[in-house]
Amino acid sequence: MTQFDLTDDQLQIQEMARKFTADAITPFAAEWDEKHIFPRDTIREAAELGFGAIYVSEESGGIGLGRLEAALIFEALAYGCPSTSAFISIHNMVCWMIDRFGSAEVKQRYLPAMITMDHMGSYCLTEPSSGSDAAALKTRAVLDGDHYVVTGSKAFISGGGANDVMVAMARTGEDGPKGITALVIEKDMKGVSFGAQEKKLGWHSQPTSQVNFDEVRVPVANRVGAEGEGFRIAMMGLDGGRLNIGACSLGGGQRCLDEAITYTKDRKQFGQAIADFQATQFTLADMETELQAARYLLYVAAAKVTANAPDKTRFAAMAKRLATDTGSSVVDRALQLHGGYGYLMDYPIERFWRDLRVHSILEGTNQVMRVIVSRDMLRQ
């Protein structure tokens, strides 16, 4: 074993996630996509393995693993369905934020049902007028006795309409990042409503909608962290979220590479398997090389986030940028190697092509990832 090998425990975790995916996700993912089915029961089965609270502390009922182990799990789940894996990853981010920054009361109230995924969690930062410029958000929380009165809207919320618990960022003070506070808001609180389901290119196995807050009274006790710490908490959550979405791209890319290898060995043109042509071999070799490079950068970044290393945010941004761009590029080349068949829904490639496209947008666009990396470089 070298320092770059996975440990026996990590390999067992990876194998458990792969087996669950092969049995419970891969055979059904095409139908979920085609019929826009949100697979609640399958998600809850994943939670029975601990996948609803991967890096929630054991004291709070989670399985207390590190970010590398989480990446292995999401990569394995995405091999079957990136959309479902990504939904579970976002839920994990919300659970971690409550566990890491919430009071004992908040943790006790919300985490037990979230760990089993009987209650689903959503992360509410993005707004219709503030995407990349997240610190410009307009949702406002005004203190009124022992409650905040929350008014505003959140956009592109994964789980919107199906979720039970949201960690939402709202402005309690000055303009900019220091005036933002994180609050736990329940779906059934008076004044919470959801927009129509968004009609998306991909990610059909999870609901997405706008969330509206119309003078929602949220107990001060539901605050996560101190007042004014919300943006910092949101960004810390995104360090892990970026690793997770990168891992989903790796899993989707690996699936399509494997499909391309099988197809090119079987498909014959000009009297031989197309895998025998050097052009095909070079394409497959590049896909494998780029996927492995992205994978190992992401694993290093995951270890840094777990260790709270000083350069964790830079590495998480680099890993997210490379893994999501590479995953999409690998899937695109796999589709090309399938020719016209890759464009058909009879084969899984087009679904992965659609699902992975959004990964370079969410959890911070890949252009913003470059801003984060370059700023950190030039600050030194």
Side-chain angles (χ1 to χ4, degrees), residues 24 70-71 83 102 130 162 165 190 224 235 241 243 260 295 309 350 374-375:
S83 169
S130 62
V165 177
K190 185 179 179 181
V224 177
M235 294 303 103
L243 297 174
R295 176 175 288 120
E350 60 83 30
S374 59
R375 279 181 180 171

Side-chain angles (χ1 to χ4, degrees), residues 81-95:
C81 181
S83 169
T84 303
S85 182
F87 178 84
I88 296 172
S89 84
I90 294 166
H91 173 89
N92 269 267
M93 178 168 64
V94 175
C95 288

Side-chain angles (χ1 to χ4, degrees), residues 51-188:
F51 295 170
I54 297 168
Y55 38 87
V56 169
S57 64
E58 292 181 280
E59 293 77 12
S60 295
I63 57 175
L65 297 179
R67 300 312 177 101
L68 175 51
E69 289 80 8
L72 296 173
I73 291 168
F74 293 125
E75 184 178 352
L77 297 177
Y79 192 89
C81 181
S83 169
T84 303
S85 182
F87 178 84
I88 296 172
S89 84
I90 294 166
H91 173 89
N92 269 267
M93 178 168 64
V94 175
C95 288
W96 174 80
M97 292 168 74
I98 293 173
D99 182 43
R100 174 70 174 78
F101 298 102
S103 66
E105 178 186 352
V106 167
K107 288 190 275 191
Q108 181 57 42
R109 184 184 307 146
Y110 293 110
L111 283 179
M114 294 182 74
I115 287 166
T116 60
M117 296 195 78
D118 288 317
H119 285 177
M120 309 284 185
S122 289
Y123 174 81
C124 298
L125 175 64
T126 299
E127 297 186 358
S129 61
S130 62
S132 292
D133 188 10
L137 63 85
K138 292 183 171 61
T139 294
R140 186 161 291 279
V142 178
L143 191 60
D144 180 23
D146 58 358
H147 285 74
Y148 289 103
V149 179
V150 182
T151 302
S153 295
K154 298 293 181 178
F156 308 123
I157 302 305
S158 291
N163 52 4
D164 303 277
V165 177
M166 294 161 277
V167 172
M169 306 302 151
R171 188 163 305 286
T172 53
E174 63 188 78
D175 289 345
K178 293 183 180 179
I180 295 170
T181 298
L183 300 171
V184 180
I185 301 179
E186 299 172 23
K187 173 184 180 180
D188 294 329

